Amino acid sequence: MLDEPTAIVEGYNSYFSFSKKRSGYSGVATFCKSSATPIQAEEGLYKDLNPKQDGKLGHYGDVSEFSCNELEALDAEGRAVITKHKIRKHDGQEAELAIINVYCPRADPEREDRLLYKLRFFALLQTRAETLLKSGCNVIVLGDMNVKHKRIDRSEEDENETVTKPSRLWLNQFVWDSDKDSSIPDIDNKEEFAGTTSSVTGGQFADSFRYFYPDEEGAFTNWCTLTSARETNYGRRLDYIFTNVELAKSDLQDCKIMAEVEGSDHCPVKAEYVIECIPADRSPALCTKFMPEFCGKQVKLSSFFKKREKVMDNSDIKSNCNQNYTLSADNNNGKCSLKRPSSIEKIQNQAKKKKVNSCDTKQGSLKGFFLKSSSKKEVIEADIQEASSDTKNELHTTKKEDKVVNTVTVKSSSANAWKSLLKGPPPPPLCRGHQQPCVLRTVKKPGPTKGKQFFVCARGEGLSSNPEARCDFFKWVDYKNN
C-alpha cells in the first residue's frame, strides 16, 4: 500500500516499518536528508525482523527476561525504526548517533493485556537504548510515547490522583534526575515491574523540551478532535524527544512544540542540535528505494515456480485452435486430439447459433414503457387538486405525425401541507452557558444507552474555569414528544 510519492521523496532517503498484524493499524517512518544519510538502519527493537539484512546496528542487550514469542509480538506492530549516523559535534569530535523512532502502544482501559504489552514494549525499548548508549553511541529516542509524564503535561484530572499509572512510573525512572517528578514514587523492584528489567539503570536521558522549559504550562502536543479541544488548548503532551544526558549538555540547542502546525490531532516537536551530520556514501538496505517495487527491478512470476515442461491442457488447445476444429479426448490413454467437423456437425452448430441469437432480447426504452402501441391519439390527463394548493406544475409533450404522446398535468401540494404530514427534526436547544445552539451526539460505547442521541454545548472542551470552553449542558433527545 506504500506508494512511490510517499516512499521516494527528492532529497531524502526514508525507512519504514509496518504492522505485521493489521493493515493501517500502526507504523513509523524516518526521513533523512541526503546530507544526513545513515550508515546503518534497522526495523524493530530486536534482531528478529532483520535476520539476513545488511546494515544492522546490533547491541540488543540482555533480553533473557523476554520470551521468544514476546520478542516477536513486540516487534510485530511496526512500532520502531532505528537509524545510525556519523556526526561531528560542536567541538569537532566525530561520534555516532542512533535515533530510535517509536510509536508506543496505547493502553486500552478495557483490555488488561494491552497495558502489559505497553509496559513490556517500554522495557525492551529501554534495554535497547541503554545498550546502544553503553556501546559508546549517542542516542535519541523520539516519537509518540503515549504517556503524560507530569501534572503540567495534561489538562484533565485523573479520577484518582493518588494512584500513579504504571506508564508514568516507567517514564519517571527513564529520565534523569532533573526531569523527574518528585510526586511520582520510585519503583521498588525493577525485576517485578513489567516496564523494566534487572539490566536497566534508568536516569540516562533528558526530556529535551523540559530541559529548556521545565515549568511551562499549556505545552501540549495532542488534542481530542471529537470535542474540538484544540480550540481551548485542552490537551496533553504525548510526543517527546529524549536525548542522552551527555549530548543534551554539550550539543542540544533548543526544543520547541509546533502547536501552530495543524492537519492532525498531534502537532510536531522539533529539537535543534549543534552538530554536523557526515552522510554515508550509500543508503542502508532498509531504505525504501531498495524495495522491489521502487528499485526498478521487476520480479518475474516464473521465479515463484519450479521450472517444468509446458503441458497443454484443454483450455490451451481451445485457445490456440481454429473454430473449425473440435476437441476430442480419449479417456483410455489420456490424449487429446483435434478433428475437422463433418458437414452434418456444421449444420447442427449453425442451427444452435441461430436458436441462441433468436432468444436474445433487446432492452426497451423508458419511453416505450409508458407509450401504448395504438394508432389513435391518446391523451391522459391527471388532475390532483387540494384545497391548499395554489401552484401548478405542467409537463407537456408534443405529437408528431403518427406518434402517440401523453400529456400529464400535475398540481403539487403546498409546502405547508407536506410539513404538516412529515415533521423534520426539531431545532437544537440552546445551551445555558452561552445561549448558543447545541450539537447532536450519539452514544457509541456498549451499554444500555448505546445508540441514543443527546445534545451538548457546541464549544470546544476545556477547563471548567474557562468561560469560553464548553459548558455542562446536557439533554437526551426525546423522540416521543417531538
Side-chain angles (χ1 to χ4, degrees):
M1 295 175 66
L2 181 64
D3 58 4
E4 189 167 347
T6 306
I8 311 297
V9 178
E10 187 177 356
Y12 289 82
N13 46 89
S14 59
Y15 307 86
F16 281 75
S17 180
F18 304 98
S19 173
K20 309 298 184 294
K21 292 183 175 180
R22 288 164 54 188
S23 176
Y25 172 63
S26 56
V28 292
T30 299
F31 286 81
C32 304
K33 280 189 175 181
S34 299
S35 58
T37 300
I39 56 176
Q40 293 170 331
E42 191 172 335
E43 181 184 9
L45 296 174
Y46 193 58
K47 60 185 177 182
D48 284 355
L49 289 181
N50 312 267
K52 298 180 180 179
Q53 196 174 79
D54 297 333
K56 292 192 296 184
L57 281 75
H59 305 290
Y60 301 99
D62 182 6
V63 293
S64 59
E65 297 177 34
F66 298 89
S67 67
C68 294
N69 291 337
E70 195 174 21
L71 290 170
E72 182 180 354
L74 291 173
D75 269 343
E77 295 185 0
R79 295 186 176 275
V81 162
I82 309 176
T83 54
K84 190 175 183 180
H85 307 257
K86 268 191 175 182
I87 61 171
R88 184 177 291 108
K89 303 176 77 173
H90 78 285
D91 58 1
Q93 181 182 358
E94 291 189 6
E96 291 182 339
L97 169 65
I99 299 177
I100 306 177
N101 179 8
V102 293
Y103 173 28
C104 296
R106 172 183 170 270
D108 189 337
E110 298 179 0
R111 289 184 56 185
E112 188 176 345
D113 61 315
R114 291 304 292 178
L115 174 58
L116 179 60
Y117 183 91
K118 179 177 183 177
L119 294 175
R120 297 306 286 166
F121 184 88
F122 282 153
L124 185 60
L125 169 62
Q126 186 171 354
T127 300
R128 186 72 190 276
E130 290 189 359
T131 304
L132 284 167
L133 194 58
K134 289 176 183 176
S135 71
C137 183
N138 294 283
V139 178
I140 295 175
V141 179
L142 55 81
D144 180 359
M145 305 300 293
N146 261 316
V147 183
K148 298 161 284 189
H149 183 200
K150 301 180 180 180
R151 181 62 188 87
I152 59 174
D153 293 325
R154 62 188 189 278
S155 296
E156 73 276 9
E157 296 182 2
D158 287 345
E159 295 179 0
N160 191 352
E161 287 284 351
T162 60
V163 178
T164 304
K165 292 188 175 180
S167 55
R168 290 178 191 153
L169 286 174
W170 173 82
L171 184 51
N172 206 52
Q173 63 81 36
F174 180 72
V175 296
W176 70 323
D177 291 341
S178 297
D179 287 334
K180 289 187 187 298
D181 187 342
S182 59
S183 65
I184 298 178
D186 294 332
I187 299 173
D188 296 330
N189 193 334
K190 290 187 177 182
E191 294 182 15
E192 295 181 0
F193 182 60
T196 56
T197 63
S198 58
S199 63
V200 300
T201 58
Q204 304 294 311
F205 292 88
D207 180 344
S208 300
F209 178 76
R210 291 296 176 203
Y211 186 83
F212 294 100
Y213 313 100
D215 302 318
E216 183 172 336
E217 298 182 358
F220 305 131
T221 65
N222 171 256
W223 303 265
C224 180
T225 56
L226 296 177
T227 59
S228 304
R230 197 164 188 171
E231 297 176 5
T232 57
N233 195 30
Y234 189 78
R236 56 198 68 87
R237 190 166 74 102
L238 301 179
D239 305 87
Y240 299 78
I241 299 176
F242 298 107
T243 309
N244 67 283
V245 175
E246 183 185 346
L247 183 64
K249 290 180 177 180
S250 62
D251 293 87
L252 181 59
Q253 189 174 29
D254 196 9
C255 185
K256 296 178 181 179
I257 293 176
M258 305 169 69
E260 71 281 1
V261 179
E262 298 182 348
S264 169
D265 60 336
H266 290 254
C267 76
V269 182
K270 179 176 69 173
E272 299 177 5
Y273 299 83
V274 191
I275 59 175
E276 178 190 354
C277 289
I278 304 173
D281 296 333
R282 186 177 185 274
S283 301
L286 186 65
C287 185
T288 52
K289 68 180 181 181
F290 297 130
M291 290 182 176
E293 55 266 45
F294 303 130
C295 68
K297 295 180 181 179
Q298 186 174 1
V299 180
K300 294 182 179 180
L301 186 63
S302 58
S303 64
F304 294 95
F305 300 95
K306 185 179 178 180
K307 291 184 179 181
R308 59 182 183 180
E309 274 189 14
K310 172 69 175 175
V311 179
M312 293 182 69
D313 56 11
N314 291 359
S315 60
D316 292 328
I317 297 175
K318 285 183 178 179
S319 62
N320 288 288
C321 64
N322 190 282
Q323 291 183 356
N324 292 331
Y325 291 83
T326 58
L327 178 69
S328 64
D330 188 346
N331 293 330
N332 294 327
N333 55 22
K335 294 181 179 179
C336 295
S337 61
L338 300 174
K339 68 174 183 177
R340 187 186 298 274
S342 62
S343 300
I344 298 176
E345 288 175 337
K346 285 183 179 179
I347 296 171
Q348 289 175 344
N349 290 337
Q350 289 174 0
K352 286 180 182 179
K353 273 188 180 180
K354 189 174 182 181
K355 187 175 181 180
V356 171
N357 292 336
S358 65
C359 294
D360 293 341
T361 57
K362 294 183 178 179
Q363 182 178 0
S365 65
L366 185 62
K367 183 178 178 182
F369 176 77
F370 289 102
L371 295 179
K372 296 181 180 179
S373 56
S374 173
S375 59
K376 296 181 179 181
K377 296 178 183 179
E378 293 182 3
V379 178
I380 303 174
E381 296 185 357
D383 295 333
I384 303 173
Q385 298 180 351
E386 293 186 10
S388 60
S389 176
D390 298 325
T391 58
K392 267 188 181 181
N393 293 332
E394 293 186 353
L395 173 63
H396 297 284
T397 57
T398 58
K399 179 193 70 172
K400 293 183 180 180
E401 296 179 356
D402 295 332
K403 292 183 179 178
V404 180
V405 180
N406 298 337
T407 302
V408 180
T409 303
V410 179
K411 293 181 179 180
S412 65
S413 62
S414 66
N416 292 332
W418 281 109
K419 286 181 180 179
S420 63
L421 295 174
L422 303 174
K423 293 182 179 180
L430 303 180
C431 67
R432 296 189 188 95
H434 311 97
Q435 292 299 307
Q436 293 179 343
C438 294
V439 292
L440 185 65
R441 303 289 189 197
T442 304
V443 179
K444 296 182 179 179
K445 288 186 177 180
T449 59
K450 184 179 180 180
K452 290 188 67 176
Q453 293 183 309
F454 58 92
F455 289 103
V456 292
C457 177
R459 295 203 177 190
E461 185 181 14
L463 296 171
S464 57
S465 58
N466 184 359
E468 298 300 321
R470 172 180 299 177
C471 64
D472 59 355
F473 179 84
F474 179 91
K475 183 181 180 181
W476 288 108
V477 175
D478 187 0
Y479 293 102
K480 294 181 181 179
N481 297 326
N482 293 331

